[in-house]
Amino acid sequence: MRQQTIVLASAALLLAASAAACSSDGSGGGEASTPPPATAGATSPSASPGGARVVASGLAVPWGVAFLPGGDALVTERDTANLVRVSPSGQRRQIAKVPGVQPEGEGGLLGVAVSPSYATDHLVYLYFTTASDNRVVRATLDGSLGAPQPIVTGIPKGPNHDGGRLQFGPDKMLYITTGETGDGPLSQDKNSLAGKILRVTPDGKPAPGNPFGNRIWTYGHRNVQGIAWDDKGRMYATEFGQNTFDEINRIEKGKNYGWPEVEGVGRRKGFTDPLLTWSTDEASPSGLAYANGSLWAAALGGRRLWQVPLDNGRAGRPAAHFEAVYGRLRAAVAAPDGTLWITTSNRDGRGDPAKDDDRIISVPVR
């Protein structure tokens, strides 16, 4: 593991990184570069993960992870459309093959969330790609999965940049991340659900207090695949850039995060600059979790777990863990026992799968 200091790259290095990058989530198009706007006075992280253990292996592109009240996790497999239940001891059971999923490119069975009222309503939420759109459905889980009921439909789909993360926030509203499917102007179009973070009620309606009277919470995103809240309720998101800058953004109501007008730090009126950025060979940040005073970002192209210490909402100096140990990392989720669960994504067509891939790995961070 190494401590990574973010530095300002020269124009020549930026051009070289741009030439090396591509526009999809694994080999580039979410791998960024250059300095965060606020790292002055940053301190080294106070906790480093150690004693990682493999919880489960032999999965097929595990994309989303959400924990049930008893400690078991629901895990989605992107390309098989399987919803799998995994216990902390590694016991695994397929719950269902989710109907209506049509995997293609970066689409398929993606995010999963568990209702904050699961003890009484037994509802789980899924984000997936169909033949015509991306959508969010909910279904009861009572031993078996009930018939999925669509609550948000018509999210644009594409071979790349399908977003897909689902998570309930501290306000018990459901947050949904969407990609712009390679059509950049959609991110700035407040009549489109593409390239946005959406905020909806548990039944899919626009949440009270949304800034534009619809489902949109923030816009100007390229392809958000990770969201998290700190212990003060501040929201953060990972963002795939195109050729130069990957980002972590502080997410605030109604703000425009710039895509496709700005990539990385633009310092332009009307656009919100990122909290920090990475170079193209270091990131492709996907899942995001908050634990023990830090954000933890799973990196696909960077093949490492990034720890970003926070100080009152400001980012400290990132540290890289497990660099090139497990390969491509997709999800990062805080588990009920105080560990992180991270998933590998080496069987997604862009990695070099080991015999036991894909894996779920438990990482102590206390």
Side-chain angles (χ1 to χ4, degrees):
M1 297 183 287
R2 63 183 177 87
Q3 182 92 357
Q4 180 72 28
T5 305
I6 296 183
V7 296
L8 179 60
S10 67
L13 286 175
L14 289 179
L15 288 172
S18 176
C22 75
S23 62
S24 60
D25 83 344
S27 50
E31 299 171 72
S33 83
T34 281
T39 55
T43 57
S44 299
S46 59
S48 295
R53 68 178 180 90
V54 174
V55 176
S57 60
L59 294 158
V61 195
W63 205 98
V65 178
F67 284 92
L68 294 164
D72 287 0
L74 297 178
V75 180
T76 59
E77 290 187 327
R78 186 188 72 182
D79 296 346
T80 66
N82 288 335
L83 180 65
V84 181
R85 183 167 180 158
V86 180
S87 74
S89 64
Q91 293 182 320
R92 189 169 71 201
R93 179 170 67 90
Q94 181 176 331
I95 297 293
K97 191 176 187 72
V98 179
V101 180
Q102 183 168 306
E104 178 186 4
E106 294 172 10
L109 181 58
L110 303 177
V112 56
V114 173
S115 168
S117 305
Y118 181 84
T120 55
D121 62 30
H122 287 234
L123 287 172
V124 298
Y125 294 73
L126 299 165
Y127 182 116
F128 61 79
T129 311
T130 73
S132 60
D133 65 0
N134 285 306
R135 60 180 54 192
V136 179
V137 304
R138 68 179 183 181
T140 56
L141 180 62
D142 226 342
S144 60
L145 189 71
Q149 301 297 317
I151 62 167
V152 180
T153 61
I155 301 169
K157 59 167 278 189
N160 297 317
H161 310 166
D162 286 286
R165 198 63 64 186
L166 287 181
Q167 195 164 334
F168 280 93
D171 57 1
K172 297 187 179 179
M173 295 295 113
L174 181 64
Y175 290 77
I176 306 164
T177 76
T178 72
E180 38 78 295
T181 69
D183 187 353
L186 291 179
S187 296
Q188 293 294 319
D189 182 355
K190 292 194 284 290
N191 292 314
S192 171
L193 297 179
K196 310 296 190 298
I197 295 177
L198 311 179
R199 176 176 175 264
V200 302
T201 63
D203 58 2
K205 294 182 173 64
N210 279 6
F212 310 114
N214 56 17
R215 293 181 171 109
I216 295 170
W217 185 244
T218 58
Y219 65 112
H221 298 289
R222 185 169 183 265
N223 192 25
V224 173
Q225 289 193 1
I227 51 177
W229 288 261
D230 67 16
D231 51 11
K232 299 295 184 181
R234 292 171 290 226
M235 185 179 180
Y236 307 87
T238 54
E239 179 91 22
F240 285 100
Q242 183 172 28
N243 293 324
T244 313
F245 300 105
D246 281 344
E247 306 169 357
I248 287 182
N249 285 292
R250 169 88 178 272
I251 300 300
E252 296 179 282
K253 175 181 176 178
K255 289 196 172 180
N256 182 348
Y257 289 84
W259 184 256
E261 303 300 322
V262 179
E263 181 182 358
V265 179
R267 297 185 176 90
R268 288 176 53 183
K269 185 177 180 180
F271 300 122
T272 300
D273 283 336
L275 199 63
L276 62 86
T277 62
W278 281 286
S279 66
T280 56
D281 60 349
E282 292 174 326
S284 289
S286 186
L288 186 68
Y290 175 80
N292 199 32
S294 292
L295 292 171
W296 303 82
L300 289 161
R303 303 184 181 218
R304 66 198 78 177
L305 178 68
W306 281 106
Q307 179 184 2
V308 182
L310 294 177
D311 179 8
N312 197 30
R314 294 171 296 183
R317 182 177 299 147
H321 304 291
F322 308 125
E323 187 173 353
V325 174
Y326 297 112
R328 294 164 56 79
L329 300 181
R330 173 77 64 178
V333 182
D337 64 1
T339 67
L340 290 178
W341 278 25
I342 58 176
T343 70
T344 69
S345 195
N346 294 318
R347 294 176 60 185
D348 63 3
R350 294 178 176 139
D352 302 306
K355 185 177 180 180
D356 56 349
D357 274 326
D358 275 316
R359 292 164 283 177
I360 299 173
I361 301 146
S362 175
V363 180
V365 292
R366 289 182 295 187

